Amino acid sequence: MPSLVQLVNIHGHRLYVSPNFIRRLEPRGDEPPTTLVTFSDGDGERAFEVVGELDEIAAAVNACMN
């Protein structure tokens, strides 16, 4: 069973999401590097921009799926 992924944006807000609900990861900003995480929430999809490069975020999500 996967554990929850902790997502933190540039303002320090935290969101915990099951990796099963994450639908897309897209690179966003360059300074600081950010990634847009899109996940399903029951009513559709929501997006949350997190600090970190795409590869770092993808690795964190994959680690939670094991």
Side-chain angles (χ1 to χ4, degrees), residues 14-66:
R14 295 183 190 328
L15 183 69
Y16 297 89
V17 178
S18 170
N20 293 336
F21 294 115
I22 294 176
R23 300 295 173 234
R24 285 186 304 283
L25 300 174
E26 303 171 34
R28 255 324 186 205
D30 291 330
E31 199 53 48
T34 58
T35 300
L36 187 68
V37 179
T38 304
F39 57 94
S40 52
D41 71 346
D43 294 329
E45 292 186 340
R46 295 195 184 257
F48 195 74
E49 190 170 356
V50 299
V51 176
E53 294 187 12
L54 179 65
D55 293 341
E56 296 169 356
I57 303 303
V61 171
N62 286 336
C64 290
M65 292 186 82
N66 294 328

Side-chain angles (χ1 to χ4, degrees), residues 5-17:
V5 176
Q6 174 182 284
L7 305 174
V8 182
N9 71 6
I10 59 173
H11 303 292
H13 298 120
R14 295 183 190 328
L15 183 69
Y16 297 89
V17 178

